C-alpha cells in the first residue's frame, strides 16, 4: 500500500460502461456508410423519420396559436409537477379515454417525447437480467435502451407476407420466466403496417396466457389510411395491463417539441400502486417536458381541426401509393404495402444484385449513383430490405422512384438462374 | 420442469429495482410532513425553489419575444440533433467562452434542464461501484441520480462558520481509487454561498493532485450579489477537466422550459473523445430539449437586457438582507449570510427548542401555528437547519420573518442551562 500511495496519479478518465452500451444502430450504420451523392443529381433523402424537414407538412395553425398563447400568458414559466400539469394530463386522458379503457388524469404521465415514455416504461418494468420481446423489424430505440440497462432483447418476427403481422407462435415461444414485457408497435415504424382488431386480440391473448404486460408504442396511433381503422390495444383487453406510449411528434407534426406521454391502463390492479409510484419516481430525475408545450396541450388536442388530420393522412396515403405502385414493377424489389404511419419497407432480392453484399451496400451505391438515400433496414434488424419515408413532397417521391428504377434496372442480373433451376441442379 | 410448466401464471408485476432506488429525499420528507396551515393565517411558502410562483419575478420581455418568434418562424418544429442545434450550441459557447477557457459549439451539449445535464454527466463519468463526492449540505438530485445508478455517494462537508466553504481536508480524505468525480455546486443550493477565486483554486488543487474530474453545477452562475464576483471553475484550472452544468432555469427565470447544457472543458485531452462520444450516445436516448426553446436560445442569451439581470439580483439581495437581518436577532436561530443564488440556510439551536425533535418537527409546527413553510434541511443531509427561498414578494418576506420570530419567541426555552454550565456540571 505504501507503494500504491506513492505512485503519482494520472488522468485516466473512461466513459462509463452504460454510456458505451448505449448503442444507436442507425447512427452506427449510417455513420459508417459512404454517403457521397452523385454531383450531377440533387440529393433526395428518403431516410429521415422527420415529417417536417421539407416544409410541405406544417403543423396546424391552431397548434401554433396554442403555443403562442401559452407563452404570452406567462403562466407556464415555472416548474410543473414532474409528471406534468394536472390540467394537461387531464386533457390527454379525456382525449384518449373510451368506454372500454377509461382514463383519468392520474393515469397519464407526460414525458420528454415518446422516447422518454419508452425509456421510463422499460425502466419501471424491467430489471437487469430480465428480457423484453421486441418486434423484428422494429424501431431501434427499444434495443438501445434495454441493452443500456442490462436487459436482454429477444426479437419476435413480423411476417412481411402477412402485411407484417406478428408471428404469434414465435412470439409465444420466446416468453420465459424472465420476460418482463412485450413491446408492440402499431402502426409500425419501419413497416407502415396496421394491425387488425382480431390480430391485436391474438397478441393480447398471448400476453394474457403468460401474464406478461404490454408496452404499446402507439406514437403513430390514428395515422392510418382511409379504409383502415386504428385500434389501440388497451380497449381490446380486459385483463392485460398496458403502458401505452404516445406523443405529439407524428400526428401533430412537431417532433422537436418533445412532448410525449404514458397512458397507464391497469387491469385488476396488476400494475398496482408500485408501477405508478415507480414511474413518478423516474420522472423526478429530469422533471418532465417543456411547460410551454404542456400549457398548450389542451388546446392542441381539442382545437386541431379534423381537416388537418385528414389532409396529412391523405397526403401520406397518396405518396405511399405512388411509391408502392412505382416500386412494385421494379425488377428485384418487393415493396410491402403499408396501411399507415409514414414508411414503406422494400425487400431487395439480393441474389439479383450480386454486385452488392447487402442492403447497406445497395443503399450506399444508390446514393453514389442516383443521389437517393434510403435507410438500409439492418438497423431495424432486418437485412435485405430498405425503408422509405413517404413524407417528402410528391415530385421528389416520383423522381426518387424513377431513379430507384433506373438503378435497379442497371444492376439487376438477368443471368442468374432462378431458384427453380438451381434446385434442379442439386 | 413439467410441474413448473403446468402452474398457472399469475400477474406478478414489480417495479424495477432502479425505480425503487430513485429516491427523492425532498419528496420523501415533505410528503411525510403534516402541512396543515393555521386557518387564521394565510400560508406563506418559502420552500419552493421556483422563482416564478408568485409572479413577482417575470422573465425578460426579450425572452418571450424570442420564443414567440421561434414559434411563428416554424423553423423549429422538426427534430434537432440529439445534442442540440449547431447554432444554439454555438450561441451558448460564445456566451460562456473566455480566454482562459475557450468554448466552441463542439464543447456544448444541450439537455432537458440542468437536471439532465447532471444526469448525463454522472452517467458518462461513473460506473456502478465507483463513488462521487457531493457537498453537504447539497442539492439532493446528485444523490438521487447516483444511487439509482448504483454509484456510491460520499458527502464532503461545507463549513457554515466559513460561509460554507469546502472543508478541503475532509474533501481530500474521501478520495480513493474509486472516486469518479467531485461535484461542486457554486453558487450553492441550499446555502446561497459563493466561493472566492482562491477557494475554488484550492478545490481544483485537490482534484488535480488526485486526478479526479469535476462536475461543476453552475446553474446559479452569475447570480451573485453586488460586491461579490462569480468565478466559473473552468477558467481557473489549466489541468483539471470539468463538465460544467447550467441552463436557463434560474438566471432567466424559466425553469419549466427545461433547457440546460453541459459545457465540456477538457484539459490535455483527459476527457478525450471517449467522454464526448459517451455524452452524445446518452443524449440519443431521449433526443434533446424542446426545439422551440433551442430556436430562441441565441436571442435569449444575446438580447436579454443587463437591466433584467441587475434587477433580479437587486431584488434577491434586498430580500435576502431583509430575511438575514430579521432572523439574526431571533432567539435560537442562526442564519448564515448568503452572497448569491436565492436561498438562506438558517441554523436551529435545537437545545433551545426542546419541544421539537428535529428540523422536520420544527418546520412542521411553524406551518401549523404560523402558516409559514420552510424546507427542513434534512433532505440536504443537514439536520437542524432549514432553508428559506428569498424569491417571494417583499411583504411576504417581511411578514414571514415576523411570524418566524413570534414562533421562536414562543417556543424558545430560556431555562436550559447554556453549554458552559453543562460542561461545568461534568
Ligand atoms: C415507433 C416510434 N416510437 C417512438 C418514437 C420516438 O418519438 P419521439 O420523437 O416522440 O420521442 C419514434 C420516432 O421516430 C418511432 O418511430
Ligand atoms: C443546484 C441545482 N442544480 C440543478 C438544478 C436543476 O435545474 P433544472 O431545473 O434546470 O433542471 C437545481 C434546481 O433547483 C439546483 O438547485
Amino acid at each position: 500500500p505504501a507503494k500504491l500511495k506513492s505512485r503519482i496519479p494520472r488522468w485516466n478518465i473512461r466513459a462509463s460502461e452504460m454510456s458505451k452500451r448505449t448503442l444507436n444502430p442507425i447512427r452506427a450504420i449510417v455513420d459508417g456508410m459512404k454517403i457521397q451523392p452523385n454531383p450531377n443529381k440533387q440529393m433526395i433523402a428518403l431516410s429521415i423519420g422527420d415529417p417536417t424537414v421539407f416544409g410541405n407538412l406544417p403543423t396546424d395553425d391552431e397548434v401554433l396559436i396554442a403555443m403562442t398563447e401559452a407563452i404570452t400568458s406567462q403562466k407556464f414559466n415555472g416548474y410543473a409537477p414532474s409528471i406534468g400539469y394536472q390540467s394537461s394530463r387531464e386533457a390527454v386522458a379525456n382525449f384518449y379515454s373510451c368506454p372500454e379503457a377509461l382514463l383519468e388524469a392520474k393515469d397519464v404521465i407526460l414525458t420528454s417525447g415518446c422516447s422518454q415514455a419508452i425509456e421510463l416504461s422499460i425502466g419501471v418494468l424491467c430489471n437487469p437480467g430480465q428480457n423484453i420481446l421486441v418486434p423484428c423489424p422494429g424501431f431501434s430505440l427499444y434495443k438501445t435502451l434495454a441493452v443500456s440497462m442490462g436487459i436482454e432483447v429477444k426479437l419476435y418476427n413480423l411476417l412481411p407476407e402477412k402485411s407484417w403481422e406478428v408471428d404469434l407462435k414465435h412470439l409465444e415461444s420466446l416468453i420465459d420466466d424472465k420476460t418482463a414485457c412485450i413491446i408492440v408497435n402499431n402502426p409500425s415504424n419501419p413497416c407502415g403496417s396496421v394491425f387488425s382488431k382480431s390480430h391485436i386480440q391474438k397478441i393480447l391473448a398471448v400476453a394474457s396466457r403468460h401474464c406478461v404486460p404490454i408496452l404499446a408504442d402507439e406514437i403513430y396511433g390514428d395515422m392510418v389510411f382511409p379504409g383502415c381503422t386504428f385500434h389501440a390495444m388497451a380497449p381490446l383487453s380486459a385483463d392485460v395491463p398496458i403502458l401505452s406510449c404516445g406523443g405529439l411528434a407524428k400526428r401533430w407534426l412537431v417532433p422537436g417539441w418533445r412532448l410525449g406521454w404514458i397512458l397507464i391502463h391497469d387491469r385488476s390492479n396488476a400494475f398496482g400502486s408500485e408501477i405508478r409510484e415507480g414511474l413518478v419516481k423516474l420522472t423526478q430525475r429530469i422533471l418532465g417536458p417543456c411547460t410551454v408545450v404542456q400549457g398548450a396541450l389542451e388546446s392542441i388536442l381539442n382545437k386541431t381541426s379534423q381537416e388537418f388530420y385528414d389532409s396529412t393522412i391523405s397526403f401520406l396515403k397518396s405518396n405511399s401509393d405512388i411509391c408502392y405502385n412505382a416500386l412494385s414493377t421494379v425488377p428485384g424489389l418487393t415493396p410491402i404495402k403499408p396501411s399507415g404511419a409514414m414508411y414503406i419497407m422494400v425487400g431487395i432480392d439480393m441474389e439479383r444484385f450480386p454486385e452488392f453484399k447487402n442492403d447497406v451496400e445497395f443503399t450506399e451505391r444508390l446514393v453514389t449513383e442516383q443521389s437517393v438515400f434510403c435507410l438500409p433496414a439492418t438497423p431495424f434488424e432486418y437485412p435485405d430490405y430498405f425503408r422509405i419515408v413517404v413524407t417528402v413532397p410528391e415530385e421528389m417521391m416520383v423522381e426518387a422512384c424513377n431513379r430507384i428504377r433506373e438503378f435497379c434496372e442497371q444492376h439487376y442480373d438477368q443471368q442468374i438462374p432462378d431458384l427453380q433451376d438451381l434446385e434442379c441442379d442439386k
Side-chain angles (χ1 to χ4, degrees), chain A:
Chain A
K3 217 172 183 180
L4 252 171
K5 282 243 166 173
S6 73
R7 121 192 113 86
I8 297 158
R10 291 187 196 288
W11 294 102
N12 178 27
I13 305 175
R14 301 261 72 87
S16 70
E17 295 306 314
M18 192 264 287
S19 71
K20 289 185 194 160
R21 263 196 327 259
T22 304
L23 299 167
N24 177 334
I26 297 186
R27 286 263 59 81
I29 287 161
V30 172
D31 292 350
M33 285 172 77
K34 295 176 225 59
I35 302 173
Q36 202 60 266
N38 178 339
N40 299 317
K41 299 192 179 201
Q42 224 200 317
M43 181 74 162
I44 303 178
L46 304 178
S47 55
I48 317 163
D50 181 343
T52 73
V53 276
F54 298 96
N56 57 318
L57 286 172
T59 187
D60 196 28
D61 281 343
E62 292 292 348
V63 174
L64 300 175
I65 293 168
M67 280 289 277
T68 313
E69 283 177 0
I71 286 166
T72 49
S73 81
Q74 297 219 52
K75 284 194 301 189
F76 307 109
N77 293 348
Y79 287 110
S82 62
I83 52 174
Y85 292 120
Q86 174 78 10
S87 58
S88 312
R89 293 161 60 215
E90 202 167 295
V92 174
N94 292 340
F95 193 79
Y96 286 108
S97 190
C98 67
E100 303 77 26
L102 292 171
L103 284 171
E104 298 171 47
K106 71 170 176 46
D107 305 315
V108 176
I109 287 181
L110 300 185
T111 57
S112 194
C114 184
S115 298
Q116 199 202 10
I118 296 167
E119 183 187 47
L120 300 190
S121 298
I122 296 177
V124 81
L125 289 176
C126 315
N127 280 312
Q130 288 189 294
N131 63 65
I132 61 175
L133 310 191
V134 165
C136 175
F139 184 51
S140 53
L141 185 67
Y142 313 134
K143 185 168 171 181
T144 302
L145 292 172
V147 169
S148 80
M149 301 180 203
I151 298 156
E152 191 198 345
V153 168
K154 295 188 182 189
L155 304 173
Y156 65 83
N157 292 332
L158 305 182
L159 303 168
E161 66 278 15
K162 287 189 156 184
S163 303
W164 301 110
E165 283 194 343
V166 173
D167 180 340
L168 295 161
K169 285 233 170 64
H170 186 227
L171 174 69
E172 190 152 14
S173 74
L174 296 174
I175 297 175
D176 63 22
D177 285 0
K178 294 191 169 160
T179 304
C181 84
I182 300 172
I183 297 187
V184 180
N185 174 218
N186 178 52
S188 156
N189 176 6
C191 304
S193 52
V194 179
F195 293 148
S196 70
K197 187 169 173 173
S198 71
H199 187 62
I200 295 175
Q201 284 165 331
K202 284 174 195 155
I203 299 170
L204 286 163
V206 173
S208 174
R209 271 200 292 282
H210 298 273
C211 291
V212 180
I214 284 181
L215 190 172
D217 179 351
E218 297 178 332
I219 183 75
Y220 299 100
D222 294 305
M223 293 181 76
V224 299
F225 300 156
C228 180
T229 309
F230 167 68
H231 296 278
M233 295 200 86
L236 300 181
S237 177
D239 71 325
V240 179
I242 296 173
L243 297 179
S244 167
C245 298
L248 291 182
K250 309 293 176 171
R251 196 169 180 215
W252 288 268
L253 299 170
V254 289
W257 295 5
R258 315 309 301 132
L259 195 295
W261 49 71
I262 301 172
L263 312 180
I264 305 171
H265 293 281
D266 201 358
R267 295 288 182 267
S268 316
N269 212 32
F271 282 146
S273 60
E274 206 174 300
I275 296 296
R276 288 173 192 272
E277 280 161 22
L279 285 170
V280 171
K281 284 179 176 188
L282 292 180
T283 61
Q284 291 173 350
R285 301 168 72 97
I286 68 163
L287 303 178
C290 177
T291 44
V292 178
V293 191
Q294 288 193 49
L297 193 53
E298 187 173 343
S299 294
I300 291 175
L301 296 178
N302 297 331
K303 295 194 181 163
T304 299
S305 62
Q306 189 56 43
E307 210 191 320
F308 164 79
Y309 298 129
D310 292 346
S311 85
T312 309
I313 288 293
S314 92
F315 174 83
L316 294 175
K317 160 73 171 157
S318 149
N319 245 9
S320 149
D321 282 349
I322 289 170
C323 181
Y324 176 78
N325 292 333
L327 301 189
S328 290
T329 58
V330 170
L333 296 187
T334 311
I336 313 289
K337 202 177 171 67
S339 311
M342 41 190 234
Y343 309 102
I344 301 189
M345 282 279 272
V346 182
I348 315 165
D349 184 354
M350 291 307 307
E351 292 219 325
R352 291 296 183 178
F353 299 99
E355 291 170 68
F356 312 126
K357 211 167 55 196
N358 53 31
D359 54 319
V360 177
E361 269 193 30
F362 181 97
T363 51
E364 211 167 51
R365 282 285 288 282
L366 183 56
V367 176
T368 324
E369 296 180 17
Q370 298 287 349
S371 301
V372 171
F373 184 27
C374 303
L375 206 62
T378 288
F380 306 111
E381 310 272 356
Y382 221 69
D384 300 353
Y385 273 75
F386 62 88
R387 186 194 73 174
I388 286 179
V389 177
V390 299
T391 55
V392 299
E394 185 177 314
E395 324 79 69
M396 279 171 115
M397 190 82 257
V398 172
E399 170 68 13
C401 290
N402 289 339
R403 295 194 203 165
I404 293 172
R405 172 182 303 280
E406 190 175 297
F407 177 80
C408 288
E409 283 171 351
Q410 281 166 0
H411 295 283
Y412 188 79
D413 190 346
Q414 307 274 6
Q415 305 304 311
I416 288 190
D418 67 31
L419 214 70
Q420 243 177 335
D421 298 345
L422 269 175
E423 272 170 21
C424 293
D425 278 0
K426 280 188 209 166

